[in-house]
Structures are given as C-alpha cells and as structure tokens.
Amino acid sequence: QVQLVESGGGLVQAGGSLRLSCAASGDIFSINTMGWYRQAPGKQRELVAAITSHGRTNYADSVKGRFTISSTNAKNTVYLQMNSLKPEDTAVYYCRAFTGASDYWGQGTQVTVSS
C-alpha cells in the first residue's frame, strides 16, 4: 500500500511558476516509477512527466523545457517545477506511483493559469 499526498496547486497568471509536491508513504520501497498526470475538462488524463527509481525522466512534448520533475534521494517525494505556465496548462494534476503490480494515485490538485 502506498499513500500519496499532494500540495502546491493554485492559481497563477500566465508566465508564472508553481511547484507541486507529492509525498509518498507506506511501502515506498516497492515504487519503481512516479509521475505527474493532468486532466483538463473534456480531455483524457495525460502524462506530464515521470521519473523512475533509477532517476530517468521523461516529459510530454508540450511541457519540455518548461517543467522539471525531480525526487528526493529517498525517493519518497516527487516534485514538479512548472515554469512559464500557459493557460492550456490548466488542469487537475495527479501524482502517480507504480510498483509494478499496483497503481496508486493522489487526490489531485487544481492548477489554474489565467490569461
């Protein structure tokens, strides 16, 4: 069992920045991948960024160069630094942890970018 607690969402103006945090607890040693996903109204949930237990990262093309995913050395917290935010980044952002056998999600945090 893994529990995920997110923080850092909010309202920002276009061009601004936010830093999302996701703290994992429980059987964190089983986690091999953590990531951030987002879902905008009327759209499917999509991968924003992910990081593996080995530190490898990948990003959606739409956020490359603007967003950065990172984790603590203990890999119990994952961050998403979001810079140069655009209105199209507005969505509910979800933290995900994957163990290879189970999939865990945070509660979601709203990010709203105003024009």
Side-chain angles (χ1 to χ4, degrees):
Q1 289 289 110
V2 175
Q3 294 78 231
L4 304 174
V5 179
E6 299 170 320
S7 62
L11 173 65
V12 297
Q13 295 188 56
S17 298
L18 281 175
R19 184 175 176 88
L20 306 182
S21 299
C22 176
S25 60
D27 190 16
I28 61 174
F29 300 106
S30 297
I31 299 173
N32 58 46
T33 304
M34 296 188 71
W36 289 96
Y37 294 71
R38 67 187 181 188
Q39 188 165 22
K43 296 184 177 180
Q44 295 191 70
R45 189 173 299 184
E46 65 176 352
L47 172 70
V48 177
I51 185 167
T52 73
S53 60
H54 299 100
R56 295 182 176 86
T57 60
N58 67 89
Y59 299 88
D61 288 341
S62 60
V63 307
K64 286 181 179 178
R66 299 189 298 121
F67 292 9
T68 303
I69 189 170
S70 62
S71 64
T72 62
N73 290 335
K75 298 181 176 63
N76 63 335
T77 305
V78 64
Y79 304 96
L80 185 68
Q81 178 66 46
M82 305 185 292
N83 298 325
S84 301
L85 283 162
K86 305 174 181 179
E88 51 262 44
D89 295 318
T90 295
V92 178
Y93 284 69
Y94 298 90
C95 180
R96 174 188 180 257
F98 184 60
T99 67
S102 299
D103 205 20
Y104 300 93
W105 294 89
Q107 78 284 358
T109 184
Q110 178 70 47
V111 172
T112 302
V113 184
S114 62
S115 300

